[in-house]
Amino acid sequence: RHNRLAVAEQACYRALVNVDWGHLGDFQKSQRLYNLARIKRKLNKFEEAGKLYKDSLAIEEKLPKQSNENLGRRLAELAILYEQCGRIADGFPYVHRLYALAEIYQGGEKKTVAAVFYIYSLDLKKQQKTAEAEKLASKAFDMGFDPKDLELD
């Protein structure tokens, strides 16, 4: 699997470079940054992935025609990244922003967003921030989240 991801990393990097060379615009650049960041996260290159996600999010926020779906995807990925690398406190600002966008997702994306809310609610519970924890957990369950679907290590 690692070898396939390394190949994908190179392909995504070349796609990003081609956007710059071809002056294909901010929308395309944001998408290529996002794609490369996803691969980097899967390769546990968290610092690189975080920077790429943030760059992509910054572009999305400045586009004249913003897509809430694209903004939310980047927010969710940043929250997931920070949870994965043990910096969950850094992920909370993205979770709070994602909360307002939660209802726009369907299918697998909806399950992912719900799982993000649930995982962050567990951390809030440990911090004894009960009201915030219940708010996120409630949203997760409203979105159809089932704790049995979550693989906790």
Side-chain angles (χ1 to χ4, degrees):
R1 177 174 181 223
H2 182 78
N3 191 38
R4 287 186 302 183
L5 287 173
V7 170
E9 179 183 22
Q10 287 302 312
C12 286
Y13 175 76
R14 283 191 300 273
L16 176 59
V17 169
N18 288 339
V19 167
D20 285 338
W21 284 349
H23 305 285
L24 300 179
D26 286 342
F27 176 80
Q28 290 296 322
K29 184 168 187 170
S30 174
Q31 192 58 44
R32 299 311 181 271
L33 287 165
Y34 174 77
N35 291 343
L36 181 56
R38 291 187 70 189
I39 298 298
K40 297 259 188 202
R41 182 176 62 80
K42 290 177 183 177
L43 287 166
N44 296 330
K45 296 181 178 181
F46 298 125
E47 290 300 318
E48 292 175 54
K51 180 178 181 341
L52 293 165
Y53 281 133
K54 288 175 185 176
D55 290 349
S56 178
L57 180 60
I59 291 170
E60 288 292 327
E61 290 171 331
K62 292 177 185 166
L63 288 175
K65 198 172 179 187
Q66 286 186 4
S67 163
N68 284 338
E69 289 87 356
N70 286 347
L71 288 170
R73 286 180 190 117
R74 283 138 183 88
L75 296 170
E77 289 285 349
L78 281 159
I80 291 165
L81 178 141
Y82 284 121
E83 189 278 328
Q84 283 183 321
C85 68
R87 293 173 44 199
I88 201 162
D90 292 331
F92 275 107
Y94 303 106
V95 171
H96 292 300
R97 289 182 60 196
L98 180 61
Y99 189 87
L101 303 173
E103 301 305 320
I104 63 177
Y105 293 101
Q106 302 295 316
E109 288 182 320
K110 184 176 184 176
K111 285 184 177 186
T112 298
V113 170
V116 166
F117 292 154
Y118 182 75
I119 290 167
Y120 275 80
S121 78
L122 296 177
D123 191 73
L124 288 168
K125 202 173 189 178
K126 287 180 198 169
Q127 296 177 45
Q128 298 182 339
K129 295 181 178 178
T130 309
E132 286 180 72
E134 287 176 3
K135 179 181 170 184
L136 281 181
S138 177
K139 178 65 92 173
F141 292 126
D142 288 349
M143 295 174 73
F145 178 75
D146 183 346
K148 289 182 263 178
D149 295 338
L150 193 60
E151 294 177 29
L152 292 175
D153 296 330

